[in-house]
Amino acid sequence: MSSIAPDVSLNGSMRSPDTVNSIFEIDDSDILKRMDRPMPINIERNRSFDEKSYCEMSMTSSPWLSYRMADNFRLIDHHEYMYSPGRRSGFHTPRSESYYEAHPMIADAWEALRRSMVLFRGQPVGTIAALDHSAEELNYDQVFVRDFFPSALAFLMNGEMEIVKNFLLKTLLLQSREKIVDQFKLGEGVMPASFKVIHHPARNSETLTADFGESAIGRVAPVDSGFWWIILLRAYTKSTGDSSLAELPECQRGMRLILSSCLSEGFDTFPTLLCADGCCMIDRRMGVYGYPIEIQALFFMALRCALVLLKQDGEGKDFVERIVQRLHALSYHMRNYFWLDLKQLNDIYRYKTEEYSHTAVNKFNVMPDSLPDWVFDFMPRRGGYFIGNVSPAKMDFRWFCLGNCVAVLSSLATPEQSAAIMDLIEERWEELVGEMPLKICYPAIESHEWRIVTGCDRKNTRWSYHNGGSWPVLLWLLTAACIKTGRPLIARRAIGLIESRLSKDHWPEYYDGKLGRYVGKQARKFQNWSIAGYLVAKMMFEDPSHLGMVSLEEDRQMKPLLKRSASWTC
């Protein structure tokens, strides 16, 4: 990146050098120097770092247990895959020096991704969101936590570990800073939405400046950043076989701070996380406030990853016990109340209302008349999905791709539910995939509902951006879910659609239209998670062993912990 004057703020506007209001800069510190030193590698080669039963985790002192790799994939016809000589994510598989694939898009994608790398004091620390010189930068010249995740996976799969390690450490340092927005102090565990390298030519130095939501659309803190950070730390550990990074006291504390914000007790009667609109990938007003599926699925996956990474000594042991309890409650809640298939839809259609007592069937008092007309035609005989939101008297029946794919990868979805999600994608290919993968949500909201829900947001008009737009970055999530469920033909078909035009269109951020036919009206070109999403999907499809970085086995020993309320009587 070119030098940036020190008086440029996060949103691209000019600010005084004296301005320090909610701007957090990192300079030299003892912890930074300590982390920049080479760390001893702690690798145990006779077993892999992965999950064991939640139940076992609360009873044993070691967080590492052998892992059955064979269970990580469904049986797939060997003709479906041509294993490449690329780098693998397991310990015992041979690694070559580079990844090779004949398709010309691969070379173009890597070249574009490398052009976007950000250096901090000579070390790579991430990739900017987009390198589009034809449009105003705004905050697209920053390193976003959620945007960098697929880039990090691509680098890990290619054997380039340094940039991922540096990213994890620098964002951890940013988390440790005091965060004040409009005189209000944010929780210690909040991870930044993004950060930017600020060059100081006069002092010949560089600092990192973070955005914790004070410069974001709507000024909402990113709930998902901490979850992506934990999931990436587990992917790094899984890929490298090096647990020494995760075992650093600073990393252990960082995970505990993130989890403290999520596991604290309050007035909520649900195990799901209550969130504001715009706190995740859908970062504008789109009616996802409450308990959005994206956050719940990421929360579940982050909890499972933390269960593996946390040391069970001192504070860590207490957190492990709290995580185990939350996982039981969260999985039960999501699988029972967020799941929708033809049978459940019919049950909701026949719900009685105003029920009282523990025997209530319609526990959230949802009005059957609130069922949208489109869902009856959308729901196939074979298939199902986790709906967008469930809260008192409210069910958001929209399909959200990211949340459902993460539910499959994290095993929040049961094997039967995972298969049903893939069935739905096949049955509703035109609606959910169309001509350019993949719809971020379906269907789009329009007319009066659009005015009420989005506040007349001109960027989120129907079938555009977050309102039913098509996002190529979601390809890697779909491909991973396809591999895990043994449905590679779905992934192959989607990758083929991407390869037909994404590079020719200069890697746009998103596409518009009911079928995703048109480059988005405000889409940035050379969007790095579009580039990285394709690379990860392609490498994972060629070498399914990479799936282990982002996939968690179902815990077959887990049984719901059902407790009667204090008011229940025989």
Side-chain angles (χ1 to χ4, degrees):
M1 292 176 60
S2 60
S3 295
I4 302 171
D7 61 343
V8 178
S9 70
L10 291 178
N11 60 7
S13 60
M14 305 300 291
R15 65 178 172 91
S16 166
D18 298 325
T19 301
V20 294
N21 222 15
S22 70
I23 296 295
F24 316 104
E25 295 186 348
I26 286 197
D27 214 325
D28 288 328
S29 65
D30 293 337
I31 183 175
L32 178 60
K33 293 174 182 176
R34 173 186 172 185
M35 288 183 170
D36 281 342
R37 291 201 302 266
M39 294 184 298
I41 297 179
N42 177 17
I43 300 179
E44 189 172 354
R45 294 191 177 275
N46 61 349
R47 59 186 181 182
S48 62
F49 298 87
D50 216 312
E51 317 73 3
K52 55 179 165 179
S53 165
Y54 313 152
C55 304
E56 292 178 45
M57 288 299 295
S58 60
M59 296 183 290
T60 182
S61 59
S62 173
W64 309 112
L65 194 68
S66 58
Y67 163 57
R68 299 186 303 278
M69 284 296 294
D71 287 342
N72 207 29
F73 307 96
R74 297 287 186 90
L75 292 176
I76 302 174
D77 192 312
H78 69 280
H79 294 296
E80 294 296 341
Y81 292 106
M82 294 295 292
Y83 281 80
S84 74
R87 294 180 176 269
R88 295 171 171 271
S89 56
F91 295 152
H92 308 294
T93 51
R95 299 186 176 195
S96 67
E97 290 303 315
S98 63
Y99 172 81
Y100 173 80
E101 169 57 42
H103 200 285
M105 274 181 65
I106 293 289
D108 292 343
W110 275 114
E111 182 182 354
L113 191 63
R114 295 192 192 286
R115 282 201 308 266
S116 70
M117 288 175 64
V118 176
L119 299 182
F120 177 62
R121 298 173 184 172
Q123 299 295 318
V125 293
T127 54
I128 59 174
L131 193 61
D132 186 354
H133 298 298
S134 66
E136 187 181 359
E137 282 185 339
L138 295 178
N139 60 353
Y140 282 84
D141 62 343
Q142 299 183 30
V143 180
F144 281 81
V145 173
R146 74 173 70 95
D147 292 43
F148 180 67
F149 189 89
S151 296
L153 292 182
F155 287 123
L156 288 174
M157 290 177 184
N158 203 46
E160 301 177 52
M161 314 302 180
E162 181 188 13
I163 186 173
V164 181
K165 175 183 172 183
N166 291 340
F167 170 85
L168 288 166
L169 292 177
K170 297 306 181 282
T171 47
L172 183 66
L173 283 167
L174 289 165
Q175 181 204 38
S176 67
R177 310 303 292 181
E178 185 177 57
K179 301 170 277 285
I180 299 177
V181 179
D182 290 338
Q183 302 183 23
F184 181 76
K185 185 176 179 180
L186 277 67
E188 285 187 280
V190 176
M191 278 286 186
S194 63
F195 65 85
K196 182 176 182 177
V197 177
I198 303 296
H199 304 268
H200 305 281
R203 292 184 290 167
N204 192 26
S205 64
E206 295 176 336
T207 55
L208 292 178
T209 302
D211 175 14
F212 290 90
E214 73 275 13
S215 297
I217 301 295
R219 304 301 187 262
V220 179
V223 176
D224 61 339
S225 287
F227 300 151
W228 284 122
W229 188 89
I230 293 174
I231 296 166
L232 182 57
L233 180 60
R234 185 260 178 188
Y236 175 89
T237 303
K238 179 73 176 173
S239 178
T240 63
D242 177 13
S243 65
S244 58
L245 178 63
E247 290 173 355
L248 277 175
E250 293 80 12
C251 284
Q252 293 286 310
R253 180 176 182 272
M255 282 188 285
R256 291 196 301 268
L257 287 176
I258 294 169
L259 297 174
S260 292
S261 303
C262 306
L263 299 175
S264 57
E265 296 177 351
F267 295 99
D268 212 328
T269 57
F270 311 136
T272 42
L273 285 181
L274 182 62
C275 305
D277 238 338
C279 67
C280 51
M281 180 181 177
I282 297 179
D283 59 3
R284 301 169 75 92
R285 182 174 162 188
M286 268 294 293
V288 299
Y289 62 89
Y291 305 91
I293 177 61
E294 177 177 333
I295 290 297
Q296 313 315 320
L298 287 171
F299 180 35
F300 183 87
M301 190 165 190
L303 287 175
R304 291 203 63 191
C305 291
L307 202 57
V308 179
L309 299 171
L310 282 172
K311 292 181 178 180
Q312 293 200 48
D313 53 0
E315 291 182 86
K317 186 176 181 180
D318 174 63
F319 271 93
V320 166
E321 293 174 356
R322 293 166 65 186
I323 290 171
V324 170
Q325 292 175 0
R326 190 61 166 262
L327 282 170
H328 281 292
L330 184 59
S331 61
Y332 177 85
H333 184 90
M334 297 298 295
R335 291 170 181 175
N336 283 276
Y337 303 130
F338 273 68
W339 181 253
L340 187 72
D341 54 21
L342 189 62
K343 180 184 181 303
Q344 181 65 10
L345 179 59
N346 204 161
D347 289 344
I348 297 172
Y349 177 70
R350 292 169 50 83
Y351 268 171
K352 295 181 174 62
T353 59
E354 310 302 331
E355 294 181 297
Y356 180 79
S357 86
H358 66 278
T359 60
V361 175
N362 185 2
K363 295 186 178 182
F364 299 96
N365 198 36
V366 175
M367 303 298 162
D369 289 343
S370 68
L371 282 165
D373 293 338
W374 64 264
V375 75
F376 294 99
D377 295 326
F378 178 72
M379 180 60 68
R381 290 186 176 276
R382 186 171 59 96
Y385 64 104
F386 290 99
I387 64 175
N389 219 313
V390 176
S391 59
K394 174 190 173 185
M395 297 182 86
D396 182 351
F397 291 93
R398 285 177 292 175
W399 153 272
F400 290 88
C401 180
L402 193 153
N404 275 274
C405 287
V406 171
V408 172
L409 295 175
S410 64
S411 291
L412 171 60
T414 65
E416 295 77 17
Q417 289 173 334
S418 295
I421 290 170
M422 305 313 295
D423 288 339
L424 179 78
I425 293 172
E426 274 192 319
E427 293 285 335
R428 296 293 178 258
W429 184 268
E430 184 171 330
E431 291 88 344
L432 303 181
V433 182
E435 297 180 12
M436 176 55 67
L438 284 128
K439 288 295 179 193
I440 188 172
C441 68
Y442 180 88
I445 53 179
E446 51 189 315
S447 302
H448 180 67
E449 185 182 13
W450 169 78
R451 289 190 288 272
I452 297 297
V453 173
T454 73
C456 300
D457 186 352
R458 291 296 175 183
K459 193 169 185 177
N460 270 329
T461 54
R462 64 175 184 172
W463 307 116
S464 180
Y465 201 53
H466 293 146
N467 188 13
S470 299
W471 291 69
V473 62
L474 298 172
L475 177 69
W476 81 264
L477 284 157
L478 175 67
T479 301
C482 288
I483 295 172
K484 183 174 183 181
T485 56
R487 309 286 278 274
L489 293 179
I490 297 177
R492 174 182 289 172
R493 187 179 175 189
I495 291 172
L497 289 173
I498 287 282
E499 289 179 336
S500 69
R501 60 177 298 194
L502 189 63
S503 179
K504 297 175 184 177
D505 292 335
H506 305 297
W507 310 96
E509 181 182 12
Y510 64 94
Y511 286 76
D512 285 354
K514 202 167 186 177
L515 297 176
R517 183 173 295 169
Y518 307 100
V519 174
K521 58 186 175 183
Q522 295 187 42
R524 293 301 196 280
K525 301 292 184 70
F526 296 99
Q527 185 81 15
N528 279 304
W529 65 358
S530 296
I531 297 167
Y534 167 69
L535 285 173
V536 171
K538 192 72 173 177
M539 286 191 282
M540 195 179 295
F541 189 83
E542 292 292 323
D543 184 356
S545 72
H546 290 310
L547 179 68
M549 283 194 286
V550 292
S551 176
L552 301 169
E553 270 191 294
E554 182 192 19
D555 187 347
R556 296 178 179 85
Q557 298 185 37
M558 187 184 69
K559 296 180 181 179
L561 296 176
L562 302 179
K563 295 183 179 180
R564 294 171 177 169
S565 66
S567 61
W568 191 91
T569 56
C570 296

